[in-house]
């Protein structure tokens, strides 16, 4: 029961944003969150999966994940984050601390991780309706 309550709280309080859209949903339809550990103070792996209503086609189209209070991202770096997308999560993007040509940037501030598209982002970086997976840990 504790796992269910913790996972439900995480799902309710995680927020995904695509900044070029005008409305941000609490959790996109069909979103799933898997957490490997519920122990307080323990490191955990998190797997977020959702469908991107509006894709990523400009450098302003960032993706942000905000965690509930009580989560610490202090030990997370860009190397701990994977971004996958496509009809079967077949595209695995390169992530670094700052975006560059062909490289997504990952900024971690407080309880929020913001993924910024590459500086040479194209119209089909992540297409409308694509499945998106973010793995942390």
């Amino acid at each position: 029961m504790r796992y269910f309550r913790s996972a439900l709280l995480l799902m309710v309080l995680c927020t995904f944003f695509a900044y070029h859209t005008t409305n941000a949903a609490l959790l996109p339809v069909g979103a799933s969150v898997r957490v490997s550990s519920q122990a307080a103070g323990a490191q955990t792996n998190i797997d977020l999966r959702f469908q991107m209503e509006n894709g990523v086609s400009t450098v302003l189209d960032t993706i942000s994940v905000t965690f509930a209070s009580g989560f610490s991202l202090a030990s997370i770096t860009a190397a701990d984050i994977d971004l996958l997308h496509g009809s079967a999560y077949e595209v695995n993007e390169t992530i670094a601390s700052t975006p560059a040509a062909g490289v997504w940037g990952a900024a971690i501030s407080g309880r929020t991780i913001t993924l910024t598209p590459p500086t040479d982002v194209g119209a089909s970086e992540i297409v409308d309706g694509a499945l998106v997976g973010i793995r942390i840990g």
Side-chain angles (χ1 to χ4, degrees):
M1 184 67 167
R2 178 182 166 109
Y3 173 79
F4 176 76
R5 282 185 285 166
S6 297
L8 183 60
L9 179 64
L10 176 64
M11 287 177 58
V12 171
L13 296 177
C14 284
T15 305
F16 303 97
F17 296 100
Y19 284 133
H20 73 290
T21 62
T22 55
N23 49 355
L26 194 51
L27 275 175
V29 174
S32 70
V33 179
R34 290 186 209 161
V35 181
S36 66
S37 173
Q38 294 298 312
Q43 291 187 351
T44 188
N45 295 319
I46 299 171
D47 186 12
L48 309 168
R49 304 250 172 159
F50 56 97
Q51 186 170 10
M52 193 90 166
E53 181 179 336
N54 297 303
V56 173
S57 59
T58 76
V59 293
L60 300 177
D61 296 337
T62 60
I63 301 171
S64 292
V65 181
T66 300
F67 291 87
S69 61
F71 277 85
S72 172
L73 303 178
S75 64
I76 302 294
T77 68
D80 297 317
I81 302 169
D82 294 309
L83 174 63
L84 304 109
H85 61 90
S87 60
Y89 305 102
E90 70 275 10
V91 180
N92 189 353
E93 297 290 354
T94 302
I95 306 242
S97 58
T98 56
V103 178
W104 282 70
I108 300 147
S109 177
R111 297 176 324 202
T112 301
I113 297 172
T114 303
L115 301 175
T116 303
T119 54
D120 62 346
V121 64
S124 61
E125 185 69 29
I126 297 180
V127 298
D128 295 352
L131 298 176
V132 175
I134 300 172
R135 294 181 187 152
I136 305 164

